[in-house]
Amino acid sequence: MSIFEQLESEVRSYCRGWPVVFDRASGSRIYAEDGRPYLDFFAGAGALNYGHNNPVLKQALIDYLARDGVTHALDMFTAAKRDLLVTLEEKIFAPRELSYRVVFPGPGGTNAVEAALKLARKVTGRKQVVHFTNGFHGMTLGALSATGNSLHRRGAGVPLVHATPMPFDRYFDDSFPYLGYFERLLDDPGSGLDEPAAVIVETVQGEGGINAASAEWLRGLQELCRSHGILVIVDDVQMGCGRTGPFFSFEDAGIEPDLVCLSKSIGGYGLPMALTLIKPELDVWEPGEHNGTFRGVSPAFVTAAEALRVYWSDDELEKSTRAKGERVGIGLQNVVERFPEAGLVAKGRGLARGLEFSGGELAGQVCAAAFERGLLLETSGPGGEVVKLLPPLTLTDAEVDEGLEIIAESVKSALVGGR
Amino acid sequence: MSIFEQLESEVRSYCRGWPVVFDRASGSRIYAEDGRPYLDFFAGAGALNYGHNNPVLKQALIDYLARDGVTHALDMFTAAKRDLLVTLEEKIFAPRELSYRVVFPGPGGTNAVEAALKLARKVTGRKQVVHFTNGFHGMTLGALSATGNSLHRRGAGVPLVHATPMPFDRYFDDSFPYLGYFERLLDDPGSGLDEPAAVIVETVQGEGGINAASAEWLRGLQELCRSHGILVIVDDVQMGCGRTGPFFSFEDAGIEPDLVCLSKSIGGYGLPMALTLIKPELDVWEPGEHNGTFRGVSPAFVTAAEALRVYWSDDELEKSTRAKGERVGIGLQNVVERFPEAGLVAKGRGLARGLEFSGGELAGQVCAAAFERGLLLETSGPGGEVVKLLPPLTLTDAEVDEGLEIIAESVKSALVGGR
Amino acid sequence: MSIFEQLESEVRSYCRGWPVVFDRASGSRIYAEDGRPYLDFFAGAGALNYGHNNPVLKQALIDYLARDGVTHALDMFTAAKRDLLVTLEEKIFAPRELSYRVVFPGPGGTNAVEAALKLARKVTGRKQVVHFTNGFHGMTLGALSATGNSLHRRGAGVPLVHATPMPFDRYFDDSFPYLGYFERLLDDPGSGLDEPAAVIVETVQGEGGINAASAEWLRGLQELCRSHGILVIVDDVQMGCGRTGPFFSFEDAGIEPDLVCLSKSIGGYGLPMALTLIKPELDVWEPGEHNGTFRGVSPAFVTAAEALRVYWSDDELEKSTRAKGERVGIGLQNVVERFPEAGLVAKGRGLARGLEFSGGELAGQVCAAAFERGLLLETSGPGGEVVKLLPPLTLTDAEVDEGLEIIAESVKSALVGGR
Amino acid sequence: MSIFEQLESEVRSYCRGWPVVFDRASGSRIYAEDGRPYLDFFAGAGALNYGHNNPVLKQALIDYLARDGVTHALDMFTAAKRDLLVTLEEKIFAPRELSYRVVFPGPGGTNAVEAALKLARKVTGRKQVVHFTNGFHGMTLGALSATGNSLHRRGAGVPLVHATPMPFDRYFDDSFPYLGYFERLLDDPGSGLDEPAAVIVETVQGEGGINAASAEWLRGLQELCRSHGILVIVDDVQMGCGRTGPFFSFEDAGIEPDLVCLSKSIGGYGLPMALTLIKPELDVWEPGEHNGTFRGVSPAFVTAAEALRVYWSDDELEKSTRAKGERVGIGLQNVVERFPEAGLVAKGRGLARGLEFSGGELAGQVCAAAFERGLLLETSGPGGEVVKLLPPLTLTDAEVDEGLEIIAESVKSALVGGR
């Protein structure tokens, strides 16, 4: 492992909790070089909703590569992009009666967020963006300004500006007037909150600790924004593409954001790809005003389109995700109830689930114990106090149960001691 | 083509000059759906130095996919990343006696730049960054602040700060005291230029119009920076990976930047990938302080490592690039001399070449005429007045000549009229 | 009046409500050119706590001028400054067991605030400042960033940064967890609120609508700040110098701010002067690091020192202000009760009092009606909905009653109609 | 002196070079408590152009105070303000065929600058301001951003933004293409210099080291700005009110700035006062959009108007200043020639004069030696290397000669040693 220590920057992170060298992966399993399999409840931090190396997507990808399909195309017209756009329209937009134009903002989630923020500011002429406590939107300077985590913020090296945090749904106790407070600030010309161009919000905060906003809050937020000329950006990078059940995580709440950021699983196969969906009336950039080298990664377009066809032509995956999500939720609740003195909390929606501990150390011990038992789990939340479950949506019920079993053991091990 | 017009944002750009749908590509050729081949002197804006779908890299990629090698791995340890690091060390760093640590900053060039800027500011505690007239570094807010182009800057929607432009080498006339002026501002405590954390510089400005800095200027710049505690960031996203001959574009100047940004061709096959190389003493980020979903794109690591092994185990490619660059240079000079009244200027180094016209309209007409003749060329420069040649480094001499022939005809057509 | 319309910028404001030309003034009265007297319940927006042209101060001032005392002295040592410092120590600091160093920041309140913000940021190395809803701190860029009023903020021409508003005491309803919410943001490393260098707070918000903070809130705020390394800046520009009773408005709350901004009445006679008081351990600026031409306005030092001697050698003025404040409060409460259907609210503390109406139009009508009746009153609050009473502290009980009588009539006139 | 050391912040500065306590002053002399007179070639850093306690102005001031003229009036209409406006129009604007509207921005120079910058940005909708190397404009955050001196800039505690320095006339050597370089940056859409709202410039940089811009440069600058929609702000705080001869320092160059900042000597008597003069078409602020407590300091208006009447009803003062300026210039040149090996440089225009030394230490020694001999002189320039002469314009030829004599002796003492 010495080459990593010798050459790779100390900023490396996940490898510290999982100190093995991975080599192969398939479905819900990833294999270390020595062949040891790990059940993956992490799934590329949500980038592998359809599992590792999904065989149907893999075939489409290899076929495309084998026949010398264009690989890199910037924003040229390609057959692969046409297929993607047509499929997006047919499988996603039309059935949901959504009308979006598609920006190819660059290859990652932070590019999708930067494009959304830039465009929202340009369209409205306002500078301020409201984000929410414990939100996570990316590491480039614009996205980072709207990200809550102080470790990441300190990494910027400059003060982060033009972004103001508001309390996310249920951030404080029940008596807190969540949207009422925000509304007061907006209505009061003396509040000191400059009129926002946009709010940027996750429906379920993944990095922030699996905090799920209620439908009421999301609807209220959209209504409040509409009445103040504020654009609504849903960052669906981690929670979109079916993670919570429906394709877009905001569908259950019945809202219709002005801009939507997609990345991670949109490419289907784990290849870098991102989209910023914008209401047609926001399509005001001049040609090339936002650009970038990796906007047209055709292999990812191929797997993206294929994934949409395979998984979103009907509601099978959505139903299955909801059902498995329930199964996971019940399993976590069982763990909660098994250790009542530990004050655990089961959180989440769909297959974005979390188990909250009293502190980050304990949650870290659970993840370490799970790793020993062959399960990949990461922590999230501001203090790392939430064990986060983001398994592939394609896992089996048996894999759900296997994972839950290991989690239960790992919690016991961490709380009670012993292996 | 209607789906593009219907769904894709108006920000799309390259497709406007090349209104065909591309499908396949191989080597120096890209093919429209109707089978028409185009000689590609654009090469993914420098992302395809080894040609489209390079067969050796393609085989390695398909093999990796076929055997279910891990595709998406964040910053976990993987066999693919180890192979990449070992190969980087053996083929690139060691032979050049360079000592860098490798940050995986995210998938694109702008991520590499953001990481470099963030880290430089954090290390030095300074906020200001000096960039150069007509430099291009990316579209996310940090990188955009250091980018000269006003169309792109206006896209930000917020004022861009903490970055001050200095004149690039030969920006003005010969009498201009380039580094002397910069030095004066640095030495004068009353100049109003806050101490910079870093300079970020391209050795040859690609987007800026194929402006090649002299070795003297680059050396002087490094010396000046060293004496003022300013870090030197070379943005080698477009000019690195052999574009000017040597692997790093700064090798000929004999400088050793503190940070180097690589992307575009580093992945070999056109897949998104980027690296930020940093001097070991700059490796101060805490684990996870900068992160991102697509830091570990293993398929790109596979093609990247294979490309290093195939093309950088000896100096064949470097020599060949220099030779073909000369061939292109001579060809362009011939065009210049054929139309003396047009005041054309042949520019560039290695296989980053340009032909400067009196204005952007003329240059655009040349590109359009070339497209009709089956050659892809883009314009660059602040007013689009430079026809830019970035062919694959792997093109043949015959392809060089074919391209030059079309260029000559296209210039004639644009200047004189007729087909 | 045409020269004003011809030459003075449209930004002029107070003259619009009081369209007469004033000439002389004495005590609580100011006289128009035609000799008509106006009872002044505005008192230079709090700059004339000791009345217009207070005879004792006037004599000291004329004597000083007559004997050619130094007028303008930058930050040279002068006898006038020495006298001021000695008197500050004897009459103000020592009796209150306060230990402050004195910065002469420039002539106005905004200079005092800018100096405080700059120093707080420099000392802590943090950039963020927390201010409060409807706070007012000045019109220069640093102070304006921490000011709530959107009309003023829009005047900046640039986005205002490094300042975040928090809810002032009783900004929302009683159930709102005022300091609890702020504490949560501070304690949560994922909240997105960068660690503040300082809070800047008024104990009673004058421009913001005569909102008086409770002692509990102020103490809780100081405690919270202390526990997070946040400096407390009390902007006592309008509420200091006895306006609420004690010399410093924060005395009743028993807090001891790290920095205190004084201006307006500190000079005694209405001449421009300001002080920034800082805890000795904050005295880190290098000589001249902050400077300015009008830091040493000796005539103002003379009247300032004389005012301290005359009015702050005992607690007579403090007692009198409290008593008259009560008298005003009762009077306003009577007005409130006389028009129960109007939903008026009597507000304030000491001789900073307000009468809140349902909207700014009504409050403006009251002020207009009062002006007709020979009383100067201004509105305040984000929508101008609060009639603000800041009479000279030296007014007589008869003047209190006279003013209250006019206010009652004016309210009646505005609510009921007729003269 | 202990009370100063005990209570006054270490930021105090001038008192360090002149460690005596001053008490009285008259004309060109200021007296220490012990009665020792000092010839004042510093004159309140340019705030005392008409001398200390000018008897004519003094009488007007005392009369006004004695008759209880309004002292403090915010922006109410007053007889004193009317007189000032009428006099400004009659004595200053009309004879010069200038058309300005008058903003009362607050009491000091930095307020005048902040108002100018805010308004220029608001009018143009642009954020960027171009300032010049070694310019000085004030200590509040907006003005400080446009100030060159790094000691002052570091005092801000936040990064200073939206301001870019350009080289002042003759900043570099003669071959430098001063305005040509600026023009190139403006014309080039790829330069990275965002379109400026305004330039802010001193015609002679006082704090910056008595650097006098040529008329050609000033005219060229205005022309360049006009052609790019950039407003020209002349900061005439130190050089206006006759310091260089004519009332406005820019008159000789024949330019007509869009905005002019006046302070220091505009009040005549050293009382705080400032004006921002704006072209009528820039008068776009809403009532009260910019405000402040000390905008209407009537005593200063009285002495200001009187000074205009006394000194600017004819061209006597202007001629006298030019003549005395020449006399000083010749005297300094004599010093230069007396010590040829020291490489001194005599600088300046009118009665803004400087003697440049090889370093700040030497210049400081000259000032110390002069102080011992009863002459007040300060240093200026980025390294304090320029001895600066700003005597009252009203000094006599004998006082000129007396001062020059002391300077010559002090230079000899500093260069050669001995008393």
Side-chain angles (χ1 to χ4, degrees), chain D residues 30-42:
Chain D
I30 184 168
Y31 299 85
E33 276 192 313
D34 63 5
R36 183 165 183 201
Y38 292 85
L39 181 61
D40 189 356
F41 269 33
F42 167 60

Side-chain angles (χ1 to χ4, degrees), chain A residues 1 3-16 18 20-26 30 33 42 44-45 47-48 53 58 61-62 64-72 74-79 81-82 85-86 89 93 100-104 107-108 110-111 114 118 121-122 126-127 136 139-142 144 151-152 154-159 162 263-264 269-273 283 285-291 293-295 297 299 376, chain B residues 1 3-16 18 20-26 30 33 42 44-45 47-48 53 58 61-62 64-72 74-79 81-82 85-86 89 93 100-104 107-108 110-111 114 118 121-122 126-127 136 139-142 144 151-152 154-159 162 263-264 269-273 283 285-291 293-295 297 299 376:
Chain A
M1 218 167 289
I3 188 70
F4 297 114
E5 279 160 15
Q6 181 193 338
L7 274 199
E8 190 173 2
S9 161
E10 294 290 338
V11 79
R12 68 186 185 274
S13 171
Y14 286 112
C15 54
R16 295 172 189 273
W18 303 324
V20 296
V21 177
F22 294 99
D23 185 28
R24 288 178 309 112
S26 180
I30 182 167
E33 277 192 312
F42 167 60
L48 296 167
N53 299 330
K58 172 177 164 179
L61 175 59
I62 290 180
Y64 187 78
L65 295 169
R67 76 167 184 84
D68 279 340
V70 168
T71 295
H72 180 279
L74 286 124
D75 64 357
M76 293 148 79
F77 293 144
T78 59
K81 187 197 274 186
R82 184 178 53 204
L85 289 171
V86 167
E89 177 62 24
F93 298 164
Y100 285 119
R101 291 197 147 227
V102 180
V103 173
F104 294 91
T110 200
N111 303 280
E114 293 267 341
K118 285 166 66 173
R121 284 164 167 153
K122 186 175 181 83
R126 304 174 182 176
K127 313 294 178 231
F136 181 96
M139 290 294 106
T140 52
L141 220 53
L144 187 52
L151 169 65
H152 295 317
R154 278 196 300 269
V158 290
H162 311 316
S263 185
K264 292 196 185 263
Y269 205 73
L271 294 173
M273 178 181 155
D283 195 16
W285 265 333
E286 291 181 49
E289 192 166 347
H290 179 92
N291 66 12
T293 297
F294 294 115
R295 286 169 293 160
V297 185
L376 298 190
Chain B
M1 217 167 291
I3 188 71
F4 297 114
E5 280 161 14
Q6 181 192 338
L7 275 199
E8 191 174 359
S9 161
E10 294 290 339
V11 79
R12 67 186 185 274
S13 172
Y14 285 113
C15 54
R16 295 173 188 273
W18 303 325
V20 296
V21 177
F22 295 99
D23 184 29
R24 288 179 307 111
S26 181
I30 183 168
E33 278 192 311
F42 167 60
L48 296 166
N53 299 329
K58 172 177 164 180
L61 175 59
I62 290 180
Y64 187 78
L65 295 169
R67 76 165 184 87
D68 280 338
V70 168
T71 295
H72 180 279
L74 286 123
D75 66 357
M76 293 147 79
F77 292 145
T78 59
K81 187 197 274 185
R82 185 179 51 204
L85 289 171
V86 166
E89 176 62 24
F93 297 164
Y100 285 119
R101 290 196 148 227
V102 180
V103 173
F104 295 91
T110 200
N111 303 280
E114 292 266 341
K118 285 165 66 173
R121 284 162 167 154
K122 186 176 181 80
R126 304 174 183 176
K127 313 294 178 229
F136 180 96
M139 289 295 106
T140 52
L141 219 53
L144 187 51
L151 169 65
H152 295 316
R154 278 196 300 268
V158 290
H162 310 315
S263 185
K264 292 197 184 264
Y269 204 73
L271 293 173
M273 179 180 152
D283 194 16
W285 266 333
E286 290 182 52
E289 192 165 346
H290 179 92
N291 67 12
T293 297
F294 294 115
R295 286 168 293 159
V297 185
L376 299 190

Side-chain angles (χ1 to χ4, degrees), chain C residues 218-265:
Chain C
L218 287 168
R219 277 196 296 270
L221 179 63
Q222 174 173 289
E223 192 178 338
L224 181 59
C225 288
R226 293 277 146 84
S227 70
H228 285 80
I230 301 167
L231 298 173
V232 175
I233 305 171
V234 168
D235 181 341
D236 232 8
V237 166
Q238 189 165 93
M239 292 301 147
C241 305
R243 172 54 57 190
T244 67
F247 184 80
F248 293 113
S249 73
F250 53 79
E251 292 179 41
D252 286 348
I255 64 169
E256 195 174 328
D258 300 291
L259 303 99
V260 181
C261 301
L262 291 176
S263 185
K264 292 196 184 265
S265 282

Side-chain angles (χ1 to χ4, degrees), chain B residues 363-384:
Chain B
Q365 287 166 1
V366 170
C367 290
F371 179 70
E372 280 181 42
R373 286 164 176 79
L375 176 69
L376 299 190
L377 284 174
E378 76 162 329
T379 58
S380 70

